[in-house]
Amino acid sequence: MSAFDTDRRTGDGVHVAMVPIVGAWVTLMALTLLGWWLGRYDGLGTGRWLTAVILIVTFIKVFLVGYIFMDLRHTPRPILLAFASGCFVVCMVLIALANIL
């Protein structure tokens, strides 16, 4: 059954396929606000750990967009594992580069 079928509904009339999308959207908005707050709040300082935290939050958002909105949750396991591994490796490389420079 695809995401566009309308005969599957929850008890409150919300389409079943919309539940993960709305949840992901709310999570993305919360992570965006968290990243903005971490970048703008002067009380935390400007340490390297702050850069690492902001990058980790960013790559969690990248993974969510790929998993939910690009429908990688319906792909075979090796493709999902490659995507998650790629997100992790690129995030760690950027953190390492930020600590070197």
Side-chain angles (χ1 to χ4, degrees):
M1 190 167 282
S2 74
F4 298 108
D5 293 335
T6 57
D7 57 346
R8 288 179 52 199
R9 295 184 178 273
T10 59
D12 58 355
V14 176
H15 190 268
V16 172
M18 292 299 294
V19 172
I21 292 173
V22 172
W25 181 80
V26 169
T27 304
L28 287 169
M29 292 299 109
L31 290 173
T32 299
L33 290 174
L34 175 65
W36 174 81
W37 181 78
L38 287 172
R40 297 282 299 172
Y41 188 64
D42 293 334
L44 295 175
T46 57
R48 292 181 175 168
W49 67 272
L50 186 60
T51 303
V53 170
I54 291 173
L55 282 169
I56 290 169
V57 167
T58 301
F59 275 91
I60 290 171
K61 290 169 45 180
V62 168
F63 178 79
L64 276 175
V65 167
Y67 187 74
I68 300 293
F69 295 106
M70 296 175 66
D71 279 337
L72 289 176
R73 59 190 162 159
H74 300 297
T75 61
R77 252 328 144 190
I79 295 174
L80 180 59
L81 184 61
F83 175 70
S85 301
C87 288
F88 179 77
V89 168
V90 171
C91 182
M92 292 301 116
V93 167
L94 288 176
I95 290 172
L97 286 174
N99 286 328
I100 291 172
L101 301 176

